[in-house]
Amino acid sequence: MNLYELTEQQQQLISALESITEQDAPDAEAAQIVESALAQIEGEIEAKFEACAKVVRQYEALADAREQEAQHLRARAGTARRNAARLKDWMMLAMESSGKRKVEAGAHTISLVANGGKLPLIIDETVTPETVDAAYVVAQLSFDKTAIAADLEAGESIPWAKFGERGQHVRVK
């Protein structure tokens, strides 16, 4: 039986036991049989939970190992990209110093080309947003969530803000 079926059967046994004990003349033997079955089901449920917990731990360990391997692979990919960039920088320096814009190298053609896109914008570091025309400044507004939360905790009523409910999760120790 799976965990869902076991808990459903447990609920049925609890209901049966409650109906037996609520009778004017409860049947002690029937109650004993239901209690015995209930104890057995609870043991099976506990065993299922233990098995689930073991599987959860295995999945968590597998996820940790895969994350560690992914981190290792990201580091190796970064090293390969830096090596490629270093070689490209070296080729660019060699092409600039020799005055060549294009080199045919076997199956490859290496070209020295200008970057695309918008021209880089350079702003004098001594200038601040306060000293220039407002047309060149962007103001960003955002909620002060710390102040809102503090006021709500203090009992103030803010019609457009409220605390949500915390979720819950299963912890396997």
Side-chain angles (χ1 to χ4, degrees):
M1 250 188 255
N2 64 33
L3 189 57
Y4 175 76
E5 292 168 342
L6 286 170
T7 54
E8 189 174 282
Q9 191 173 6
Q10 180 188 35
Q11 291 303 316
Q12 290 171 354
L13 287 170
I14 289 171
S15 295
L17 185 60
E18 287 173 353
S19 64
I20 289 171
T21 55
E22 289 175 359
Q23 294 175 356
D24 291 334
D27 183 357
E29 187 176 325
Q32 182 65 29
I33 292 170
V34 172
E35 286 176 354
S36 174
L38 188 58
Q40 181 182 354
I41 290 292
E42 287 173 350
E44 291 178 28
I45 289 173
E46 186 177 318
K48 287 286 184 185
F49 272 113
E50 182 179 6
C52 287
K54 287 179 182 178
V55 172
V56 166
R57 288 283 174 97
Q58 288 174 344
Y59 278 135
E60 288 173 344
L62 180 61
D64 290 345
R66 287 182 176 169
E67 285 174 356
Q68 187 176 10
E69 182 63 20
Q71 184 178 6
H72 176 68
L73 289 174
R74 276 191 297 276
R76 291 183 66 192
T79 299
R81 289 201 190 285
R82 285 188 299 279
N83 288 341
R86 193 174 326 126
L87 284 172
K88 287 171 87 175
D89 288 345
W90 178 81
M91 288 189 293
M92 185 169 74
L93 181 64
M95 291 174 76
E96 287 173 343
S97 66
S98 67
K100 294 186 178 182
R101 306 278 311 157
K102 188 183 248 185
V103 175
E104 298 289 333
H108 303 282
T109 301
I110 296 97
S111 303
L112 189 58
V113 296
N115 293 335
K118 294 182 180 181
L119 290 173
L121 180 61
I122 301 168
I123 298 176
D124 186 351
E125 293 179 9
T126 61
V127 176
T128 63
E130 295 82 15
T131 61
V132 298
D133 189 343
Y136 300 121
V137 178
V138 176
Q140 295 180 344
L141 298 177
S142 62
F143 290 109
D144 184 352
K145 292 183 178 181
T146 304
I148 294 168
D151 286 351
L152 287 174
E153 286 173 351
E156 290 190 37
S157 175
I158 303 174
W160 44 266
K162 66 179 182 177
F163 285 119
E165 290 186 21
R166 285 192 178 119
Q168 56 186 8
H169 66 280
V170 173
R171 179 178 293 150
V172 178
K173 289 187 175 184

